[in-house]
Amino acid sequence: SQQGEEDPQALSIQEGENATMNCSYKTSINNLQWYRQNSGRGLVHLILIRSNEREKHSGRLRVTLDTSKKSSSLLITASRAADTASYFCARHGSSNTGKLIFGQGTTLQVKP
Amino acid sequence: EPEVTQTPSHQVTQMGQEVILRCVPISNHLYFYWYRQILGQKVEFLVSFYNNEISEKSEIFDDQFSVERPDGSNFTLKIRSTKLEDSAMYFCASLRRRHSDYNEQFFGPGTRLTVL
């Protein structure tokens, strides 16, 4: 399959703890993107990391990319109840139309 | 901040009926997409649209589906004869240009389609 695989599928932590979600993919990429989806809502773009970058930060988010292992991770530090959502990695398809191929996602629950 | 909008937020229809889902992409964007998400599953690509024509479609996007950009602002997805398995959340997305350094797609809030 060309789609990304995320693990864990579900993660439950206490507020204040860090949450790490992983994504693996099988083909070469130009970049990898992470999106958040609150329950029953639309997708919100979080961060994009290019294939020549190894790490990127945005606020409490840290994304790493290891192209040799074809994997990426999203770390949310000092989690809050409002971080409760599903998190998806996405990469572009090989057809160059800009379509995104999403992973299965990780459902994160942050308990207050 | 500009955003993608979609209407309606929820559509309930009978099997076999036609539905039209509407989207207004961000005004200076050039590439448009429809995705769907069946409840509890991942987001799946349906179709991409550029320069007034389909640039790519998935296996899901069969003859029952069509897309249109009837004017400079709206982008619609039509399902001619809905089936029970078309029940899903449908997301519209737009992109300014593909070959920029920052090619984030902006997603609308989605239309929940329920086929009875």
Side-chain angles (χ1 to χ4, degrees):
Chain A
S1 165
Q2 291 186 350
Q3 285 109 355
E5 300 292 334
E6 274 124 305
D7 73 271
Q9 289 189 345
L11 182 61
S12 182
I13 59 174
Q14 293 294 134
E15 211 166 25
E17 293 180 341
N18 296 342
T20 300
M21 290 159 269
N22 303 297
C23 167
S24 63
Y25 56 92
K26 296 186 178 181
T27 64
S28 61
I29 58 169
N30 292 322
N31 61 61
L32 196 80
Q33 305 182 40
W34 285 88
Y35 285 81
R36 183 184 76 205
Q37 183 183 34
N38 285 34
S39 180
R41 307 292 294 275
L43 293 151
V44 175
H45 184 266
L46 294 176
I47 198 164
L48 179 151
I49 185 165
R50 299 189 193 86
S51 59
N52 62 354
E53 297 176 313
R54 290 296 166 258
E55 189 170 309
K56 200 160 183 180
H57 296 253
S58 177
R60 293 184 296 111
L61 304 180
R62 182 185 133 209
V63 168
T64 61
L65 179 65
D66 187 336
T67 52
S68 66
K69 295 181 179 176
K70 291 186 166 56
S71 68
S72 175
S73 67
L74 171 67
L75 168 68
I76 304 174
T77 59
S79 63
R80 304 167 182 167
D83 295 328
T84 295
S86 292
Y87 292 83
F88 297 89
C89 67
R91 64 169 187 84
H92 286 102
S94 57
S95 57
N96 211 28
T97 58
K99 78 174 186 187
L100 289 174
I101 298 173
F102 285 85
Q104 296 283 359
T106 294
T107 300
L108 173 67
Q109 182 186 28
V110 182
K111 299 176 185 174
Chain B
E1 188 173 326
E3 58 182 15
V4 177
T5 60
Q6 290 185 244
T7 55
S9 56
H10 191 188
Q11 173 92 48
V12 181
T13 190
Q14 294 290 327
M15 192 170 57
Q17 295 296 304
E18 174 184 287
V19 295
I20 297 176
L21 310 182
R22 302 180 193 279
C23 168
V24 179
I26 295 173
S27 62
N28 63 350
H29 284 194
L30 302 176
Y31 300 84
F32 312 108
Y33 306 86
W34 283 100
Y35 296 83
R36 81 170 186 191
Q37 184 182 34
I38 295 171
L39 185 64
Q41 298 187 22
K42 65 184 176 186
V43 177
E44 300 174 288
F45 166 77
L46 289 179
V47 66
S48 60
F49 193 85
Y50 169 69
N51 201 25
N52 283 320
E53 61 182 22
I54 291 173
S55 49
E56 186 177 2
K57 57 185 181 180
S58 71
E59 291 177 355
I60 303 167
F61 195 90
D62 61 21
D63 292 345
Q64 294 301 312
F65 290 85
S66 62
V67 289
E68 236 185 1
R69 188 157 161 81
D71 52 43
S73 60
N74 291 285
F75 180 49
T76 62
L77 174 69
K78 182 195 291 187
I79 310 175
R80 283 188 192 72
S81 177
T82 50
K83 304 187 282 285
L84 295 176
E85 54 265 39
D86 292 328
S87 294
M89 195 80 159
Y90 288 81
F91 294 106
C92 171
S94 70
L95 175 68
R96 185 159 181 268
R97 52 182 176 149
R98 277 188 297 112
H99 296 296
S100 62
D101 283 342
Y102 189 64
N103 45 6
E104 168 191 350
Q105 282 187 27
F106 291 81
F107 282 78
T111 292
R112 180 169 299 285
L113 176 65
T114 302
V115 182
L116 302 176

